[in-house]
Each structure stands twice: as C-alpha cells, then as structure tokens.
Amino acid sequence: MSDHKYIVGIDFGTLSGRAVVVDAADGKQMGTAVTEYRHGVMDRTLTAGNNQPLPPEFALQNPDDYIEVLATAVPGAVKDAGVDPADIVGIGVDATSATVFFTDKDGEPLCNKPEFKDNIHAYVKLWKHHGAQNQADRLVKVAEARREKWLGRYGGVLSSELLLPKALEVFEVAPEVYEATDEIVNLLDWLTWRMTGHLTYAEGDSGYKRMYQDGTYPTREYLEAVKPGFGDIFTEKMSHEILPLGGKVGELSQDMAELMGLAAGTAVASGNIDAHVVVAGTNAVRPGQLTAILGTSCVYVVNGPEYKDCPGTFGTVYGGAVDGLWGFEAGQTAVGDIFAWFIDNCVPPKFFDEAKERGLNIHELLVEKAAAQEVGQHGLVALDWHNGNRSILSDAHLSGLVMGQTLTTTADETYLALLESTAFGARVIVENFEQHGIAIDEIVAAGGLLKNRFYMQLLSDITRRPITVSLSDQSGALGSAVFAAVAAGVYPDVYAAADAMARVDHHAYVPDLDRAAKYDGLFAIYKEMHDYFGRYTGKSPMHRLKDIKLEVFEGQRGYVAE
C-alpha cells in the first residue's frame, strides 16, 4: 500500500461498459478497460431468451451483461493501471437512464428466473425503449387535467423513456411480471445495490427519471386516476433512501470485491446518469456552461441559479447535476446512431471501394467529401428524428425525413444533410433554453463524436457557440470518479474535485461567422419542417405511418398492444 490514492469510475453505456482508474490528486488516467455487452441491445428478437420477435419500439437488455463488465472491465483497468487495489479508495458508477429493472427483494432480475425467461417484459427496459409511448401520453393527459405542478419540471411533457411510463406499461401489459416484482429500480441504483447490499436511490436520477420533486413523488390519487390499482407503486415497489450526488451508499462487499478484484470495504458512491455525470467530468459545473454528451444519442445539461419554466426540457431538478443549482436537461434520441444507420443501409459499394483503396474508413471518406461542399450546395434539409424526438417535442412516434432529394443527389450530400440536421436539432434546444431565461454561453463537449473535427466545427457554426472539449476519452467514467472522490472523503465537494481532476481544451472550436450566416437560411427551413411535422394539427402523417407499421406487426404475430 502506498501514499497515493486512486479512484475507479465505471461507465455503463448503451453497448458496453468501461472502467477507468484515475489518480485522485489530478484525475490522471492510469488505466482503462472496456467490455462489450454480450447481448447488445435486443430490439428485434429476444436473443437472451427464445428468440421471439419483439414489437416495434422495443429496446431490451440482459442484466448479466452488466455483471460481466464488473467482472472483466474493472480488473482489466486495475491491471492496466498497475496499481495496488488496496490504494483504491472509492468507486463511482454512471449508467444509461432510465434503464429499468424489475427484481425480487434481493435484487435478482425477474428475467433470470425460469418462469420469466421468455417474458419480454421481465427484461431490462433500456433507456431508448419506446414501447410505453401510449402510457406516457396518458400520464401527461391526467397530469394536465389535474394541474399537477410537477409536470412543469419536465417541460409539460413526459418521455416514454422515463421510468414511470415503463412501469405502467408492465402493470397493464404484463401484470404477472408486475405482481411478481418487489423492486422497480434503475440500472445505476441496481449496480450500487449489488456492490454494497444496500438499495438506495440517487437524488439526481430520482428527480430526472422517477418524478421525485420537492421531496415527494406524484401522489397516489394522481396515479389511481391514471390507472386504478397503480396508485401504490412508489410505496410498494420504490420506497428507499434517496442520497445526494457524491453521497456514500456503503462499502464494497466481500463477494463483489472478489468478483471485481478490489478490496472489500472500498467506498461506493451513489450512482449518476451517464450524461449528467459528464458535467463533473468536464468541470462544466457553473451556470451558462452547456454540457453536451455527443455520441449515439446526445444529452445536454446546463446549470442555473434559479428555477425557470422551460417547455420542452426533459427534466429540471434542483441539485440534479451539481448540488445547489438547478439542472436543466434536454437531448436528442439519435445522433451518431443516425450516421451509423446511413452507412449501414444507404451508402453504395463504390464509396466503400474508394475508402479501401485510399486507406480510409467510410466515415473519413464521407466527411472529406462533405467538407468539400459549400453550405447549401446539396439542396437538402433533413429531420433528425430517426429514433423519435426527445427535445423539444418529446414524441417517440416522430420519424426521420430528408427533403430536397433528386435523381442527382449523392450519398455524401445526404450524409452531410444528416450531420447538419443533428446540429440544427441542437440549435433548437439551445434557443429554447435561452428563450426561457436559461443562459447558454458556451458548449462543453464530451463523447465519441469529438473524434470528428469537421462535425464539431459544424456544431459550433450552426449553434453560434464556442465549444470547449474534454481531454479525457472516458469523461463519463472520470465524472463518476469525481463523485467517488467526494464520497471517499478525498475532496469536500464536487467543485473542488472537478477543479482538480477534470481536463479540457478551452474553446477548441469557435464559430465561423460567414458559414454561420449561411446556415441560418437552412436552419429556417429546418425549423419550418420541425414545427410542421412536430406540431401537426391532428394526427401527424408520421404518427399514421407508425400506426400502420404496428398494425402489420400485430397481424403477423398476434401481438396486441395495450
């Protein structure tokens, strides 16, 4: 054992889990390891069960994949770091949210029990599971009718990605699963429960994803008005202590210490949402700094000193990202996923051949061709709703669209239009914040899309904001380590820990005002399309197409949606 103190941060993403070991003194990354989820995202068939086809909008995961991360990525990171496990004083975790478990009283997921192995509703409902849109709509309708004050904290809308719609979905569609469930718990709380044996709830996640506001949950009377019999969900299946960010859940148990290759008794911090934790990992803890986590999807979090009503936000929670400030959240349900979908399904073989001949990957080739185009040259504007819209419309039934295509439109032109569409979507979010009194002075970015320098400059140009970037390639896990350092007593608060441990490149990108002015014209068209399809009077054509798709599925499989 040495005088050095180290922290383990573990980041559970959509497709993999990654662990880092950092020096508590300065945040220096000592070692890292990544474990891909064996079952990935189950959105077409139940590969962990009987391979039955899944309904549209489903996204499930196998909880065993998360345990494998603890058993492989954590020891791998410690080995890579070359440190003594006895010198590791704290463990922090972050995870996708709301990624929802249905478990017994000991935390065993119901899908691991033989009688539920082939029941699709017993599995973990991933954050991007949109099967509960109907439930989300009804939760909002009743809240509006009853004038529930907490609804304004979510911008007047509720996403199907939140915990409550998913729980209601199970209550209505799979009552046998709901009845057998002792605990409904989000992934980040389930992880700390497994590590320590103590079930607690993280305050930030509770506010953003479980409707916990001003010390209370939605009332029993409200929940009964939504669906008779649903009123006791919080008292019967979600009734445990709520801990603040940086709070200590407990200490690592002997069994989990052996699994993870760490010392029993190591402090375990309360978990955090994978996006929100980046606020600390990038030291964007002060008002006016919009943390942008740019990856397969994108999340935006900004702190403010005062509460502001902001329609279209995904959630507003006091102390949600940093103690003592209001945390305002928004997001896009697909960004990098759109680019990957396009390459997998829409790029002709000749582009792949050229990329191979020139020693480039396909993204590099398409970016090169996109960068050679003048603003507006392609004559295209796209809507970035291939996985629905989170902010500011909160509608999972919207879908992607490219307008302006002709017989001369090329793949690289469409690719650029999709890049631009996601930046336009980000600008809608930024402008919505500012229109409601929430200042956005700069963007502080982290995530996989930082590798694409062209995209980062595009984002700066279109949003007209300078962008500071994280210098850590594992900013989520680093953010978890920041909070773990507070829980372990290394630092008194997150401000001191973030100042010491986070590393960024200040204003790495600044807007090109000439290109920004040209993009204003395309953005005006995007906004017109956004408002037409997103705020359509009556039932949107996009909604009607989704209805037809579901009807076909039901006819083929005999599945009846609630």
Side-chain angles (χ1 to χ4, degrees), residues 200-230:
T200 62
Y201 304 134
E203 186 172 40
D205 181 77
S206 296
Y208 284 113
K209 309 298 181 179
R210 295 194 300 118
M211 335 304 292
Y212 185 77
Q213 295 283 353
D214 300 327
T216 62
Y217 293 110
T219 64
R220 183 183 189 279
E221 291 73 21
Y222 160 72
L223 295 168
E224 282 292 316
V226 173
K227 186 73 174 182
F230 193 59

Side-chain angles (χ1 to χ4, degrees), residues 527-545:
K527 192 63 168 58
E528 186 176 349
M529 293 166 59
H530 172 282
D531 292 347
Y532 177 80
F533 287 103
R535 297 188 169 113
Y536 191 87
T537 301
K539 196 159 192 177
S540 164
M542 292 182 177
H543 289 180
R544 298 201 298 272
L545 284 172

Side-chain angles (χ1 to χ4, degrees), residues 227-499:
K227 186 73 174 182
F230 193 59
D232 295 322
I233 182 172
F234 287 111
T235 55
E236 292 183 351
K237 301 181 189 293
M238 285 184 281
S239 181
H240 295 274
E241 181 184 8
I242 294 174
L243 293 181
L245 298 175
K248 181 180 175 181
V249 175
E251 297 179 344
L252 191 65
S253 69
Q254 184 63 46
D255 288 349
M256 292 303 292
E258 292 175 2
L259 178 77
M260 298 166 66
L262 300 176
T266 304
V268 177
S270 185
N272 212 321
I273 302 170
D274 61 341
H276 300 63
V277 78
V278 177
V279 171
T282 58
N283 198 16
V285 295
R286 292 164 179 84
Q289 296 178 296
L290 179 69
T291 304
I293 303 88
L294 309 175
T296 55
S297 62
C298 290
V299 176
Y300 305 93
V301 181
V302 62
N303 293 300
E306 299 175 334
Y307 173 75
K308 301 285 185 180
D309 272 321
C310 187
T313 54
F314 197 55
T316 303
V317 177
Y318 184 72
V322 177
D323 286 341
L325 294 174
W326 288 92
F328 301 87
E329 177 194 354
Q332 294 166 281
T333 52
V335 177
D337 272 349
I338 296 175
F339 312 150
W341 162 82
F342 181 75
I343 283 175
D344 289 343
N345 296 279
C346 304
V347 178
K350 68 178 183 179
F351 285 82
F352 289 92
D353 293 341
E354 181 181 349
K356 183 177 181 180
E357 290 172 4
R358 296 179 55 196
L360 303 173
N361 67 45
I362 190 63
H363 280 288
E364 290 170 338
L365 178 68
L366 289 173
V367 165
E368 178 187 284
K369 292 180 179 293
Q373 299 176 42
E374 295 292 331
V375 175
Q377 175 182 326
H378 50 38
L380 304 172
V381 173
L383 289 174
D384 52 319
W385 299 344
H386 296 66
N387 196 30
N389 178 281
R390 179 182 295 164
S391 300
I392 57 175
L393 300 169
S394 192
D395 188 345
H397 288 165
L398 295 174
S399 51
L401 176 69
V402 180
M403 188 170 74
Q405 289 179 314
T406 72
L407 293 178
T408 62
T409 300
T410 60
D412 53 287
E413 290 175 334
T414 305
Y415 183 77
L416 176 56
L418 293 174
L419 296 180
E420 293 166 342
S421 74
T422 62
F424 292 147
R427 178 167 168 175
V428 168
I429 289 168
V430 168
E431 292 188 351
N432 187 61
F433 277 138
E434 293 222 310
Q435 287 165 6
H436 293 91
I438 303 164
I440 306 295
D441 301 321
E442 68 169 332
I443 295 172
V444 183
L449 290 180
L450 266 61
K451 299 174 184 177
N452 188 336
R453 295 184 61 84
F454 173 76
Y455 181 78
M456 297 304 299
Q457 184 60 56
L458 183 75
L459 183 63
S460 179
D461 294 342
I462 287 176
T463 61
R464 291 178 172 266
R465 294 297 188 284
I467 301 178
T468 292
V469 300
S470 172
L471 294 178
S472 171
D473 60 355
Q474 302 289 356
S475 54
L478 175 60
S480 290
V482 167
F483 284 106
V486 176
V490 179
Y491 295 98
D493 55 44
V494 68
Y495 296 99
D499 283 342

